[in-house]
């Protein structure tokens, strides 16, 4: 089975000062997207920044970004509906109006370092329903084991997502969420038995948990997410040079595991992407 590689190049938390290679302008993002596609990424999880490199959910910029990445690459465009911990719910819902192929949908509230990443049940229900109406495929973000129980409840009460396929992403090693360990990943994978047949998963480990989570995901039939949203250290005392460096490593480890990177076309079919 091939490995789907998602790149999360920017995020909302890392600053350009701490990581000068972080893509924060549209031009930088498009360059990163093209490089990462050439190396084996098939999905891009996008957060954008304003002119001062601060996180923003400005709808005009999100539309422009979606169009620019589509024009320059064949990547599946997944916009973050999580934004930054300070973003209000109505702005997070409005992300869907930028017309992405996919959007993230976090399945519960979680402590997030010194902050709280708030995801009320009714907000999740609204996000899921709007994505169904608009034909946008969700990636359900799982920061803790209980989020999988919430997803089971959501699908049971409100039905399958657009496209009919369920794909989740285990975001591991966030201070306040589940640990980034092989044991935690296997516990999550075990809970997928309660979700629809054929549910797929990716995993990403924050910071130093990147490599153990990558290895555990490949060994258990999962897919990969990597990028500077999740880690800015390539190895001890070695800053990440670019998102391409992280995708190249993921693709090479995936090949070693006999799980070569999946093309965007095959990823579209796997994920049930409804658009073009
Ligand atoms: N930036 C985090 C608060 C998502 O993109 O949906 C939320 C996050 C998840 O990154
Ligand atoms: Zn994100």
């Amino acid at each position: 089975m091939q490995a789907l590689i998602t790149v999360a190049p920017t995020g909302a938390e890392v600053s350009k000062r701490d990581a000068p290679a972080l893509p924060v302008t549209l031009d930088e993002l498009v360059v990163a997207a093209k490089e990462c596609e050439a190396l084996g990424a098939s999905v891009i999880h996008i957060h954008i920044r304003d002119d001062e490199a601060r996180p923003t959910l400005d709808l005009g910029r999100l539309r422009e970004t979606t169009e620019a990445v589509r024009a320059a690459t064949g990547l599946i465009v997944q916009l973050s509906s999580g934004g930054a911990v300070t973003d209000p719910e109505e702005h997070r819902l409005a992300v869907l109006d930028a017309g992405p192929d996919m959007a993230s949908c976090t399945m519960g509230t979680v402590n997030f370092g010194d902050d709280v990443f708030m995801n009320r049940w009714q907000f999740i229900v609204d996000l899921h329903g709007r994505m169904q109406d608009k034909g946008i495929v969700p990636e359900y973000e799982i920061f803790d084991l209980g989020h999988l129980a919430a997803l089971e409840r959501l699908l049971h009460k409100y039905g399958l997502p657009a496209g009919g396929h369920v794909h989740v992403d285990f975001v591991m090693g966030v201070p306040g969420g589940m640990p980034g360990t092989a044991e935690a990943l296997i516990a999550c994978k075990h809970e997928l038995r309660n979700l629809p047949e054929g549910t797929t998963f990716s995993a990403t480990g924050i910071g130093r948990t990147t490599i153990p989570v990558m290895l555990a995901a490949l060994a258990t039939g999962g897919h990969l997410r990597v990028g500077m949203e999740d880690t800015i250290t390539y190895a001890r005392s070695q800053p990440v040079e670019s998102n391409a460096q992280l995708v190249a490593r993921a693709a090479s480890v995936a090949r070693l595991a006999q799980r070569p990177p999946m093309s965007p076309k095959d990823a579209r079919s796997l994920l049930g992407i409804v658009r073009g």
Side-chain angles (χ1 to χ4, degrees), residues 41-59:
S42 49
V43 178
I44 184 164
H45 169 85
I46 297 178
H47 292 251
I48 60 165
R49 302 294 178 98
D50 67 14
D51 290 338
E52 275 75 49
R54 292 175 304 215
T56 177
L57 292 181
D58 179 83
L59 190 52

Side-chain angles (χ1 to χ4, degrees), residues 174-189:
V174 169
M178 65 180 145
T181 60
E183 290 83 355
L185 186 139
I186 286 165
C188 284
K189 184 178 177 196

Side-chain angles (χ1 to χ4, degrees), residues 78 101-105 128 131 136-140 161-162 165 167:
Q78 180 190 107
D101 304 303
M102 296 182 81
S104 54
C105 177
H128 176 75
M131 280 199 253
I136 296 171
V137 172
E139 175 177 271
Y140 297 106
H165 178 78
H167 181 70

Side-chain angles (χ1 to χ4, degrees), residues 12-229:
E13 286 76 34
V14 175
S15 80
K16 188 84 173 163
R17 198 163 19 87
D18 293 338
L22 192 77
V24 294
T25 67
L26 182 51
D27 286 351
E28 287 171 346
L29 183 70
V30 168
V31 168
K34 283 161 110 169
E35 289 173 354
C36 292
E37 181 181 25
L39 289 164
S42 49
V43 178
I44 184 164
H45 169 85
I46 297 178
H47 292 251
I48 60 165
R49 302 294 178 98
D50 67 14
D51 290 338
E52 275 75 49
R54 292 175 304 215
T56 177
L57 292 181
D58 179 83
L59 190 52
R61 274 183 190 253
L62 284 169
R63 283 206 182 100
E64 191 187 4
T65 303
T66 301
E67 281 158 23
V69 174
R70 279 214 184 105
T73 73
L75 292 170
I76 296 167
V77 175
Q78 180 190 107
L79 293 182
S80 166
S81 74
V85 289
T86 46
D87 284 317
E89 290 180 348
E90 65 271 24
H91 294 184
R92 292 174 57 192
L93 290 168
V95 165
L96 304 180
D97 297 334
D101 304 303
M102 296 182 81
S104 54
C105 177
T106 295
M107 287 310 306
T109 296
V110 63
N111 284 325
F112 195 83
D114 295 342
D115 297 307
V116 177
F117 179 30
M118 186 64 87
N119 294 282
R120 292 182 309 118
W121 172 250
Q122 200 52 53
F123 171 73
I124 294 169
V125 169
D126 284 355
L127 194 55
H128 176 75
R130 289 192 201 197
M131 280 199 253
Q132 283 173 322
D133 294 345
K134 289 176 179 286
I136 296 171
V137 172
E139 175 177 271
Y140 297 106
E141 307 296 337
I142 307 299
F143 288 72
D144 224 333
L145 196 65
H147 292 184
L148 286 169
L151 179 56
E152 184 191 351
R153 178 176 176 224
L154 182 79
L155 299 177
H156 181 72
K157 286 185 84 159
Y158 298 100
L160 288 171
H165 178 78
V166 178
H167 181 70
V168 306
D169 179 40
F170 304 145
V171 185
M172 312 184 71
V174 169
M178 65 180 145
T181 60
E183 290 83 355
L185 186 139
I186 286 165
C188 284
K189 184 178 177 196
H190 190 60
E191 289 308 304
L192 296 183
R193 72 192 190 283
N194 298 321
L195 293 174
E197 180 96 31
T199 294
T200 50
F201 74 96
S202 313
T204 183
I206 304 301
R208 70 184 61 174
T209 69
T210 295
I211 292 176
V213 167
M214 181 190 304
L215 296 173
L218 286 170
T220 52
H223 301 281
L224 304 179
R225 171 173 129 171
V226 293
M228 294 179 75
E229 172 165 347

Side-chain angles (χ1 to χ4, degrees), residues 218-272:
L218 286 170
T220 52
H223 301 281
L224 304 179
R225 171 173 129 171
V226 293
M228 294 179 75
E229 172 165 347
D230 300 336
T231 184
I232 55 170
T233 305
Y234 189 76
R236 191 186 290 261
S237 307
Q238 192 183 332
V240 169
E241 285 166 14
S242 65
N243 281 286
Q245 185 190 29
L246 293 171
V247 172
R249 176 169 69 182
S252 125
V253 176
R255 282 196 190 92
L256 188 67
Q258 305 291 297
R259 305 269 319 274
M262 189 181 292
S263 69
K265 183 166 172 282
D266 288 345
R268 268 174 208 277
S269 141
L270 176 77
L271 297 168

